[in-house]
Amino acid sequence: MVFLRERPLQRLRRSATPAPQTIFLHAPAVPRSGAEGTNGQQEGNTMARSKPTARDALRKLREQRAQLENEEARLREEAATELGKLLIECGAETIEPAQLRQIVRASMALGIEETLKRIAPA
């Protein structure tokens, strides 16, 4: 039989040094970086972002519409230039503008395929 013997309890010594203090990172004495915990907001700016309002959405929509209108006007000018070059290449510069307008409107009403069938030599 084996007897287990516990060690005697050591006497508790009182040290002269105080226990370590806990340092809190959010204490004013600890400097924080400009972006830490602020989601990109500056520390001095305490106001939260406001939700976009219906007025803001309408203003943005109007701005987009104006940009699209400008883009459409630019593209129409480019298309007109391309078509003008095509007309000159075909020798259609001798056709009066009013007659050309009538030809194009009639062909669009009939459809391109039908117009080509009608004017094709038999």
Side-chain angles (χ1 to χ4, degrees):
M1 224 186 208
V2 177
F3 291 100
L4 295 177
R5 187 172 151 176
E6 293 182 12
R7 289 174 158 191
L9 292 176
Q10 294 180 354
R11 290 188 181 172
L12 295 176
R13 283 191 258 165
R14 297 222 174 226
S15 63
T17 59
Q21 294 180 346
T22 303
I23 298 174
F24 295 100
L25 293 178
H26 62 273
V30 177
R32 292 175 57 185
S33 67
E36 183 181 329
T38 60
N39 290 334
Q41 296 175 353
Q42 295 298 323
E43 194 169 333
N45 186 3
T46 57
M47 293 179 57
R49 287 186 179 172
S50 61
K51 288 184 179 180
T53 64
R55 286 184 16 233
D56 293 336
L58 281 173
R59 181 180 44 78
K60 184 176 179 181
L61 187 63
R62 285 188 182 123
E63 289 172 0
Q64 290 173 344
R65 188 176 293 137
Q67 288 174 349
L68 287 174
E69 287 172 356
N70 290 338
E71 181 72 5
E72 182 182 12
R74 185 185 64 79
L75 290 173
R76 283 180 177 269
E77 288 292 321
E78 286 181 21
T81 302
E82 290 174 15
L83 290 172
K85 288 178 182 177
L86 250 163
L87 289 171
I88 291 172
E89 286 175 10
C90 297
E93 70 273 4
T94 58
I95 300 174
E96 291 295 320
Q99 291 175 330
L100 183 60
R101 187 178 297 118
Q102 285 178 336
I103 292 170
V104 171
R105 284 186 178 159
S107 64
M108 294 306 290
L110 284 173
I112 299 297
E113 294 297 322
E114 182 63 28
T115 304
L116 290 174
K117 283 181 193 175
R118 289 187 182 191
I119 62 174

